[in-house]
Each structure stands twice: as structure tokens, then as C-alpha cells.
Amino acid sequence: MNLSVIWKLFKKEAELVQNDHSVLLALLVAPLLYFLLMGSTYINKDEEQVSVGIVDLDQTKSSKAFLNKVNATQKIAITKTYTNFLEAKCGLNEFEIQGIINIPNGFEKKLKKNESSPIGLILINTKFLSSNDINKAVNLVAIDYALEARQKFFESKGINPSFAKQKANPITAQVNAVYNPTNNYGNFLLPALLILILHQTLLIGLSESVSSDRKNGLMTIGFEESKNNVINYIFGKTGFYLILYTAYMLLTYFVVFPFFDLPIKGSIFSLIIVSILFLFTTLLYGWFVTSFFKSQVRAMEVMAFTSYPIFLITGITWSVSEMPLFLQFISNLIPLKPFFTFLKKVTIMGVDSNLYYEEIIHLLILLLIGYIATFLRLNYLKKQRMTLKSVIK
């Protein structure tokens, strides 16, 4: 490894990026634009005051008190009142509301008799997060309201209030939500989206550069300038991207995360080191794949259109163990998979370092695979160029 040769290749790559507008756009403009767009979309991180309609056929003090308690919850806002269910269903179909609370006639009478009084809850599950919020809030209010009603019933039988409360609710569940106690979607999704933006713009920018080298015959010059040393060529070519995206990572962790109030509960040092490891692994994978293309457009298309399927099989949106075996195998070959798991453990969970060694080892294995594949591919291209050059002479 020759540092002076690597530095020369590093400066040459920086000049190439500066002079190629398409590469410059992918590397400098796209990450910042996507950060702004994605961050603004999920800036609130959680949906509050979900619109709900009501059909109160009982129109009693008890039904109104129940609905007032529902409306007082953080997640729900009663925005529409309907006279009958058909009218409410029309509002549901027109997306005026995300759900309907239907209180039947005789609700109060059954409560006073300590009888079961079911409440109708109709939800639009096309927005499953909103429907889950409504379902959870209404059920919690229903449990509290039922407990209060049973307690009053026992008190009416002459039982003292403390014993009546115990008798009304003999079994209590103590739920302690850890890591994401507010259960908000932003803390879960935003870190992964920010990393995905960096991952894809890095691959697109690198792919345009490598394919341009192949198309214009600059790879031969690169081999010559690296003194036909593939290791010099790898570090010289990737050095610029590694430093640039390490700076983006630092910007993400120290500026973007605090701006969106995203947690980093674990070791920031470990986070930075493993992020650099992830970036270098991604660079090697990207270079290997792109080295088969001579067209910038074709290389960019491949990198751009594989982003969403790759994201889906990394385990961030669905458990990898529930996928078909061949997808599990492919998932384990993608650097994003162990890095997303590591990111979750360090940022949201803040676990001890011994609990994410497996992800670091996984990344190191993928780094080795990527390095060997890229080394062999570039060595092959170097020999091919030398053979072609000797034939021409």
C-alpha cells in the first residue's frame, strides 16, 4: 500500500466528482434534499388527534361522560356527530373520519344493572397506525369506565369504597413499555430512513463514477496511476466517498438526530466506528456490482430501482424469520441488515456492547466478502486491459 499513490487517486476522484454534475448532484444535493423532505414528513413522529365520528343512540349522562373521556385522550379527537350509523358510514367512506364509536340505546340502563353493554367500534384499517391508536384509546377508556361503574355498583350494595374498588378489578396488569415508551412511529422509522438515504445516494454517486471510468477508459489510467496495485486503487478510489459520507454520518448523528429529537442511548463512539465500517462495506459492494456496467444511466437505474426491495428485506419493516428461506439468505448478504439491527440497539435501546457484537462480526464478514469480490473483479479487469493493450501493440 502506497499512501502517496492513494492520495493522488483521492484527489483525482474529488476532481472527477466536482466536474461531473450528475455525480455532484447525487452526492451533495440529493442527501440534503432527502433529509429535508423525509425529516419534514415525520417531524411530529407520531399522529395525534385522530379524527373520530360518534353515533350516540343513548343520549344519556353516562354515554356523554364516556365520550367526553374518549375525547380527552391525547390520540383521539371527536370531530363529527352523526344521528345514525348509515350517515356515519358515509363519513367513513369519504375519509371525513378514521373511525366510528357507536353507543347503542340502553347503554346507561345496562350499566346501572351491572350488565354487559357493548360499544360498537368501526375502524379504517387502511391506515393501521391510526386505527391502532383509536382501538387502544377507546379500549383503555372502556376498561376504566367499566371499572368505575362496577365499583359504584358494589358501593351501592353497602361495600366500603376501597374493598369495592378491589372487588371491581381483582386482576390488574402492570405494563411497562421500554425503549420506545411513547410508542411513536418516528423514533422507530426515521433513523432507518436517514441511513437509507445516505446508503442509496452513496451507491448512486459511486455507480455513476465507476461506470464513467469504464466507459471512458479511465480505469486503465487508474490502474497505471496506482502502479497496477489493486489495493492502492481500491483505497484511492473509495477514500473520497468514505470521508464525505463519514462527514454526512457525523452530521446525521450530531445535528439531524438532535433536531428531530431522536435518541442515541448507547455509545456514540461505537456508533461512529461501526458506521464507518458499514460505509466501507457498502462501497465495496457497490463497486463490485457497478463494475459490470459501462453506462452511467444503466448503473444508476440498477442502484436506484433496487433500493426499495432491499429495504423491505432488511428486517426493518418485517421480521426476517417470517420471510422465505431464499430471501433470508439474501438479506444476510446485505450490509443494511446487520447495521439496522445495530442502529436500533445503540440508538433506541442503548444496550451494552456485548449485545451487539454479533452485528459487528456480521458486518466484518460482509466487508471481507466485499473486499475479496472487488479485489478479484478489479484484478480481472486489470489483466483484461493489459492483455488488450499487448494485443494492440
Side-chain angles (χ1 to χ4, degrees), residues 208-220:
E208 291 192 351
S209 174
V210 173
S211 57
S212 175
D213 282 357
R214 290 210 65 195
K215 179 181 178 181
N216 299 318
L218 297 178
M219 192 167 280
T220 303

Side-chain angles (χ1 to χ4, degrees), residues 54-114:
I54 60 170
V55 180
D56 185 3
L57 299 178
D58 198 48
Q59 291 293 323
T60 58
K61 184 179 178 180
S62 297
S63 66
K64 290 176 182 178
F66 177 83
L67 292 173
N68 286 336
K69 285 190 175 183
V70 170
N71 197 39
T73 61
Q74 185 179 8
K75 295 289 187 179
I76 292 180
I78 296 177
T79 57
K80 296 286 184 179
T81 301
Y82 302 99
T83 56
N84 56 69
F85 179 73
L86 289 178
E87 183 183 341
K89 191 175 180 181
C90 289
L92 198 71
N93 293 337
E94 294 174 2
F95 291 102
E96 291 180 347
I97 50 176
Q98 296 297 316
I100 303 170
I101 301 174
N102 184 27
I103 298 184
N105 193 15
F107 173 78
E108 186 176 67
K109 289 181 180 179
K110 288 183 178 180
L111 282 179
K112 289 181 178 180
K113 293 179 181 179
N114 201 31

Side-chain angles (χ1 to χ4, degrees), residues 253-268:
Y253 298 143
F254 290 106
V255 178
V256 179
F257 268 52
F259 181 80
F260 292 113
D261 196 26
L262 297 173
I264 300 180
K265 296 182 178 179
S267 168
I268 186 66

Side-chain angles (χ1 to χ4, degrees), residues 105-276:
N105 193 15
F107 173 78
E108 186 176 67
K109 289 181 180 179
K110 288 183 178 180
L111 282 179
K112 289 181 178 180
K113 293 179 181 179
N114 201 31
E115 295 178 0
S116 174
S117 182
I119 294 172
L121 184 60
I122 297 91
L123 303 172
I124 297 181
N125 279 337
T126 54
K127 290 179 67 177
F128 67 94
L129 291 174
S130 300
S131 63
N132 285 343
D133 287 340
I134 299 171
N135 189 21
K136 182 179 178 181
V138 172
N139 275 285
L140 286 175
V141 171
I143 291 171
D144 289 341
Y145 202 82
L147 173 62
E148 184 181 333
R150 285 197 299 271
Q151 182 177 342
K152 288 180 179 179
F153 173 80
F154 289 123
E155 288 176 4
S156 69
K157 300 297 182 180
I159 301 174
N160 70 71
S162 60
F163 187 64
K165 184 176 182 180
Q166 182 181 354
K167 191 174 178 64
N169 191 28
I171 300 175
T172 59
Q174 293 183 342
V175 180
N176 296 309
V178 296
Y179 305 137
N180 189 9
T182 59
N183 199 32
N184 77 70
Y185 200 56
N187 282 357
F188 162 75
L189 187 63
L190 258 180
L193 284 178
L194 295 173
I195 297 302
L196 183 66
I197 289 169
L198 295 180
H199 176 266
Q200 290 311 115
T201 54
L202 172 60
L203 287 178
I204 291 171
L206 177 69
S207 67
E208 291 192 351
S209 174
V210 173
S211 57
S212 175
D213 282 357
R214 290 210 65 195
K215 179 181 178 181
N216 299 318
L218 297 178
M219 192 167 280
T220 303
I221 299 174
F223 285 132
E224 292 173 354
E225 292 179 341
S226 63
K227 302 187 183 302
N228 289 316
N229 187 313
V230 174
I231 296 177
N232 286 341
Y233 193 21
I234 288 175
F235 282 94
K237 180 78 174 178
T238 60
F240 171 80
Y241 301 95
L242 186 60
I243 291 176
L244 176 63
Y245 273 78
T246 297
Y248 277 142
M249 281 289 188
L250 294 176
L251 176 72
T252 302
Y253 298 143
F254 290 106
V255 178
V256 179
F257 268 52
F259 181 80
F260 292 113
D261 196 26
L262 297 173
I264 300 180
K265 296 182 178 179
S267 168
I268 186 66
F269 177 76
S270 299
L271 182 60
I272 292 171
I273 296 301
V274 177
S275 296
I276 294 172

